[in-house]
Amino acid sequence: MTGRPGVDVPDHRGRTGLDQAGRDLDRNPAVVVRDVELTSQGWHVLRRTTLDHRRRDGRWETQQRETYDRGNGAVVLPYDVERGVVLLTRQFRYPAYVNDHPDGMLVEAAAGLLDLDDPVTAVRRESAEELGVTLGELVHVLDAYMSPGSVTERLHFFAAPYTPADRTGAGGGLEEDGEDIEVLEVPFAEALAMVRDGRIVDGKTILLLHWAALDGPFAPGPGETGPAGVTTGESAAYARRT
């Protein structure tokens, strides 16, 4: 009998036992995992899990849930308060293109999967590869599950100051990974306007820009009505929308 790739025998990435993830979960007494099936294993993994769940009224019911496991990731917003700009990327995203985005070219904060790295190492790696910038001190903003109904990924959010001297490379991503990334240095006020008018529709980027405006480096100081680095009229408009 031929073994099942990713289960009994190594798949193309050398992985086995991919059907075991979740079977040992016992942190929630209202959830009992019964079975885990591997339904697809490409670069990432799709599983179908059968579980018993105790409802709030005490009744138990059996459910099936599919989860897409692509690992965890990290994202960073480099900013220059003195010049009032942030560093972003633009690249083609087919999933957005096939779901009504006009051309699939999304403006985003630089991000990537952790792979075998810790979040800080991963975000420095992605900044160098995608943006061509060498980051100094990082600020950890938060961690979030971006699509918890089906995707297991936990995303680690960071921000970091930079100067023109820190742009030590060309960026653009890794061609061998199929990346073709445009680096954008955007005035912070314009980035906020891009969120408002739909030119920025990426969730992680919107979250970081709003953090920067409300609690981060562009947050209003004492007596101010809007984010630092935003002109008076734009500040008032932003304040009315938040």
Side-chain angles (χ1 to χ4, degrees):
M1 178 178 177
T2 303
R4 296 166 295 174
V7 178
D8 310 303
V9 298
D11 67 359
H12 65 288
R13 294 180 64 186
R15 301 171 297 187
T16 58
L18 294 177
D19 61 326
Q20 298 303 304
R23 290 182 182 272
D24 59 348
L25 289 175
D26 60 4
R27 296 189 300 271
N28 186 341
V31 175
V32 178
V33 174
R34 297 298 183 187
D35 190 28
V36 181
E37 305 166 75
L38 187 66
T39 61
S40 175
Q41 80 282 6
W43 192 253
H44 308 310
V45 179
L46 184 66
R47 299 181 178 90
R48 181 186 298 114
T49 298
T50 303
L51 57 91
D52 295 337
H53 174 245
R54 186 173 61 208
R55 299 174 59 89
R56 288 179 298 157
D57 62 8
R59 291 181 294 123
W60 285 86
E61 66 179 11
T62 299
Q63 302 176 345
Q64 282 194 328
R65 292 289 182 266
E66 289 189 347
T67 56
Y68 184 55
D69 183 356
R70 61 193 304 269
N72 294 326
V75 57
V76 66
L77 180 69
Y79 60 86
D80 184 337
V81 172
E82 183 174 342
R83 295 187 299 132
V85 297
V86 292
L87 270 184
L88 300 172
T89 68
R90 178 158 49 212
Q91 60 184 306
F92 178 67
R93 297 296 202 183
Y94 179 74
Y97 185 47
V98 79
N99 191 24
D100 292 336
H101 190 274
D103 59 8
M105 300 298 295
L106 262 62
V107 176
E108 306 176 38
L113 296 178
L114 302 186
D115 295 326
L116 299 178
D117 290 329
D118 61 86
V120 169
T121 300
V123 88
R124 292 189 186 282
R125 179 194 70 220
E126 295 299 323
S127 297
E129 292 177 358
E130 295 191 3
L131 299 170
V133 65
T134 301
L135 296 179
E137 182 179 358
L138 289 165
V139 175
H140 176 246
V141 177
L142 54 85
D143 300 332
Y145 296 94
M146 300 301 291
S147 187
S150 58
V151 181
T152 62
E153 180 184 18
R154 184 171 70 251
L155 193 59
H156 304 270
F157 288 74
F158 294 90
Y162 80 99
T163 68
D166 297 322
R167 299 188 66 177
T168 54
L174 300 180
E175 186 173 349
E176 58 266 33
D177 289 346
E179 295 178 329
D180 182 19
I181 298 172
E182 180 184 2
V183 181
L184 306 176
E185 188 169 69
V186 183
F188 185 68
E190 177 68 10
L192 292 179
M194 293 170 74
V195 172
R196 293 196 296 269
D197 65 23
R199 285 175 290 163
I200 292 179
V201 293
D202 173 66
K204 63 183 181 295
T205 307
I206 294 171
L207 194 156
L208 276 173
L209 290 172
H210 281 182
W211 166 83
L214 298 174
D215 295 308
F218 297 98
E224 295 179 348
T225 60
V230 181
T231 64
T232 303
E234 289 166 335
S235 295
Y238 185 80
R240 288 196 299 269
R241 289 178 169 87
T242 56

